[in-house]
Amino acid sequence: MPEWRRRLAAVNVATWVGATIVVLVLLSAAFAPILAPHDPNTTNLRARNAPPSLEHPFGTDALGRDLASRVVYGARVSLRVGLISVSVGLAFGVVFGLLAGYFGGRVDGLIMAGMDFLLAFPAILLAIAIVAALGPGLTQVMVAVGVALLPNFARVTRSAVLGVRNSEYVLAASALGASHLRILVRHVLPNVMTPIVVLATLNAAFAIIMEAGLSFLGIGVQPPNATWGSILSDGRSGLVDAPWITMSAGIAISVTVLGLNIMGDGLRDLTDPRSRGAVREGANRA
């Protein structure tokens, strides 16, 4: 049996559960217009703070808006922020990490000094500062979260490049006269992508939490657009009388983040060379 099939067969049940959760959230976001029972922004003051029922499965908020619809549409915003902000951080972070790890010396020192400067600030405070400078909005939130995640990708990429830049295939390509760009793109980058992909999965969960935090503070995606963070903020005043408002968004965030973290851990175990022995043993037992 090929090695990849052995390792795939040894993936634990938790990883499949995490992947299933992520797929279900993606599908619910993609088919939100079909799944949502009502328009997420339609108000009905006669049904304000209504408890969960057949008509409103998750209840309604203080303006009578259907929470089930708002949670489903909120998944679109959270996943978009998670995907695009991670892509921004990954694109720039990988480039900086490649340059720092491959060239070393002053280039490495300069780039890592910039990354250390960004890491000196807590990620959420850095994101708040960027949004405050750019103004609230979905695009600004994605840029802010992407910048906050950038140092993580840069440091992981640099570390991986340091481990392969003196490999035989890199030295051979250099001896044959290959340009630095060709060596980086054709020989170094493909061999350092595994930890980067795993980190991207884990950081997507962190990006969703950061977006929810920014929207909760009122400096993220602006009303009337439905986001999980804004739903949490709307439910603060009704924690006792209408707890289903915060519970609906809170459970959605928790389940999605849990699924991404479990899937990321599974990818790490699946791609970590140090776990090959354990994986092979598990496959043989199966």
Side-chain angles (χ1 to χ4, degrees):
M1 181 182 295
E3 177 66 17
W4 69 270
R5 293 189 63 180
R6 292 196 188 98
R7 303 185 73 184
L8 189 61
V11 174
N12 57 43
V13 176
T15 303
W16 289 115
V17 172
T20 301
I21 292 173
V22 173
V23 170
L24 291 176
V25 174
L26 288 171
L27 291 176
S28 66
F31 296 100
I34 299 175
L35 296 176
H38 302 278
D39 187 298
N41 297 323
T42 299
T43 61
N44 182 7
L45 297 180
R46 294 181 179 180
R48 59 193 304 268
N49 290 336
S53 62
L54 292 178
E55 184 180 1
H56 303 287
F58 293 174
T60 63
D61 62 9
L63 296 177
R65 295 173 296 189
D66 181 69
L67 286 173
S69 302
R70 292 183 65 78
V71 168
V72 171
Y73 273 89
R76 285 187 159 189
V77 175
S78 294
L79 292 177
R80 187 184 306 172
V81 171
L83 177 62
I84 297 180
S85 62
V86 167
S87 298
V88 170
L90 186 149
F92 288 96
V94 167
V95 171
F96 288 140
L98 284 173
L99 296 176
Y102 181 76
F103 290 105
R106 293 182 178 178
V107 175
D108 183 18
L110 181 62
I111 292 176
M112 286 300 104
M115 297 303 106
D116 290 339
F117 174 78
L118 293 178
L119 286 172
F121 301 92
I124 186 64
L125 292 182
L126 179 61
I128 290 174
I130 295 174
V131 172
L134 298 179
L138 179 59
T139 301
Q140 293 86 330
V141 168
M142 292 187 292
V143 171
V145 176
V147 172
L149 297 178
L150 189 154
N152 297 333
F153 288 104
R155 293 180 71 88
V156 169
T157 303
R158 173 183 177 272
S159 177
V161 171
L162 290 175
V164 303
R165 70 175 182 178
N166 292 322
S167 301
E168 294 180 356
Y169 54 86
V170 174
L171 298 177
S174 179
L176 291 173
S179 65
H180 293 309
L181 179 60
R182 181 178 179 84
I183 293 174
L184 284 172
V185 175
R186 295 292 300 274
H187 301 285
V188 175
L189 183 59
N191 290 284
V192 300
M193 282 303 297
T194 295
I196 297 173
V197 172
V198 174
L199 181 64
T201 304
L202 297 174
N203 275 347
F206 185 59
I208 290 175
I209 294 176
M210 289 186 65
E211 182 279 323
L214 293 174
S215 296
F216 179 83
L217 295 174
I219 58 175
V221 181
Q222 296 300 293
N225 295 319
T227 69
W228 291 341
S230 63
I231 296 174
L232 288 175
S233 180
D234 293 340
R236 284 182 298 175
S237 59
L239 286 175
V240 177
D241 298 329
W244 50 84
I245 300 177
T246 53
M247 288 178 61
S248 59
I251 292 175
I253 295 172
S254 301
V255 170
T256 304
V257 170
L258 178 64
L260 285 168
N261 283 331
I262 293 175
M263 188 174 71
D265 289 339
L267 288 175
R268 181 187 58 196
D269 295 339
L270 184 64
T271 57
D272 189 353
R274 292 171 297 181
S275 67
R276 288 181 180 177
V279 170
R280 186 179 295 112
E281 181 181 355
N284 291 336
R285 289 180 179 177

